[in-house]
Amino acid sequence: MDHGFAFSATGGFLGLPITDLFTSENASRQESHVSTFAVAGITWDGCVTNRPGARFGPNAIRQASHMLCGDEHPLFDVTPVDNTLDLGNLLLPNTSLESMRAALMPQASALIGQYEMVWLGGDHSITLPLLRAYFAHYQQPLACIHFDAHCDTWESHFGEPSGHGTWVYEAITEGLVDPKCFIQIGIRSSGERAAREFVNDQGGRIFTARELRGKDGAGLQSVIDEVRERMAKAGNPPLYLSFDIDALDPAFAPGTGTPEVGGLTTAQAMTLLEAWHDLNWVGMDLCEVSPPYDHAELTSNAAATLIWTWLCGRIVAKRT
């Protein structure tokens, strides 16, 4: 037998070996490995406002991804195994948001200059320092597609000035992103109007979960086209994907800190990512997978498959 079973696999994303950034031996191995993409974990959940556990998300996503490493994507007919490194988890403190962000940014900046990165969260407070790093690298505001149940546009959250529910507000007010190219998908949680409609009011576009009910396949074409047109009108700026797994309905992703009923199906999310595979992506994160609340690995499997699909789509886009 020349194959291994997923349940017996060890290692990183898609079964790749972990390339430790912090040892000279593996640094030389990294330089000798020609890769376009890299995966890194951000094991932080110090800003959750309901159920903790997202610090365990990166390794759960890795384990789930071992089901995907053997063959090609059924739509894109490629595998990212030969084009990707898993760099392990960043070294971060776990007691202070500001200390975490200060430690994260220089590590992220160094990697952004070398790879198209996939960041495995972690709670959603990690996205703000990542956007700061991308803004510094590209020297311009980014476009952003943001899948989430929650708007994350609060000026403060449960008495804290910054956290996993404020990063969109902060990114827009800091000028890290172009508001006209900020797209939210799946928003449905309760909240005051000023927060719920903030992105629309700034010139962006919110596709609420209610608006997307009953739409899949060809039914999503108007959404696909509208986003493409908006990006093209802005000159296709560098585009970042931030995917909070709670954008999916808890039936598809129960393992998350703040589940909200009435969400997207996994199939809807897959349809959109597949259709947008050739946009001007520069990186992505996937946040808020909390394995202690998962059932039958539904959430980590969904997360791994979404990331795998994004990577495969990027490979195809680069070839055309």
Side-chain angles (χ1 to χ4, degrees), residues 96-289:
S96 162
L97 174 62
E98 290 309 313
S99 296
M100 180 277 287
R101 287 174 169 171
L104 187 156
M105 279 195 63
Q107 296 178 73
S109 295
L111 294 176
I112 290 166
Q114 300 178 66
Y115 306 106
E116 285 191 33
M117 291 299 303
V118 174
W119 308 99
L120 309 178
D123 75 43
H124 224 152
S125 64
I126 69 170
T127 302
L128 183 64
L130 290 173
L131 288 174
R132 287 170 175 165
Y134 280 96
F135 176 83
H137 180 79
Y138 287 99
Q139 293 292 296
Q140 69 177 94
L142 275 72
C144 184
I145 295 180
H146 169 213
F147 285 77
D148 208 320
H150 308 92
C151 55
D152 292 354
T153 53
W154 300 95
E155 296 183 35
S156 63
H157 207 203
F158 292 88
E160 298 287 344
S162 187
H164 76 158
T166 64
W167 70 269
V168 174
Y169 175 82
E170 292 174 278
I172 289 176
T173 56
E174 288 182 25
L176 305 178
V177 294
D178 180 350
K180 299 184 299 299
C181 293
F182 202 98
I183 310 296
Q184 293 189 311
I185 310 285
I187 307 299
R188 61 189 182 277
S189 67
S190 61
E192 62 185 30
R193 187 210 172 277
R196 286 186 290 106
E197 295 294 328
F198 180 79
V199 167
N200 280 338
D201 291 344
Q202 299 298 310
R205 177 67 160 97
I206 303 172
F207 295 95
T208 67
R210 178 171 285 104
E211 184 177 351
L212 299 178
R213 285 179 190 171
K215 296 181 179 180
D216 199 2
L220 287 170
Q221 194 60 50
S222 62
V223 177
I224 293 163
D225 292 343
E226 184 176 339
V227 170
R228 282 186 169 278
E229 289 165 7
R230 186 174 285 251
M231 297 301 163
K233 185 176 181 180
N236 290 309
L239 173 61
Y240 187 78
L241 172 64
S242 188
F243 199 114
D244 188 322
I245 202 66
D246 70 27
L248 304 182
D249 189 271
F252 301 93
T256 192
T258 315
E260 301 279 358
V261 301
L264 305 182
T265 68
T266 311
Q268 285 177 301
M270 294 283 286
T271 296
L272 294 173
L273 290 185
E274 289 167 359
W276 289 329
H277 75 278
D278 58 347
L279 294 179
N280 190 26
W281 299 109
V282 295
M284 71 163 288
D285 64 55
L286 194 145
C287 297
E288 303 282 358
V289 172

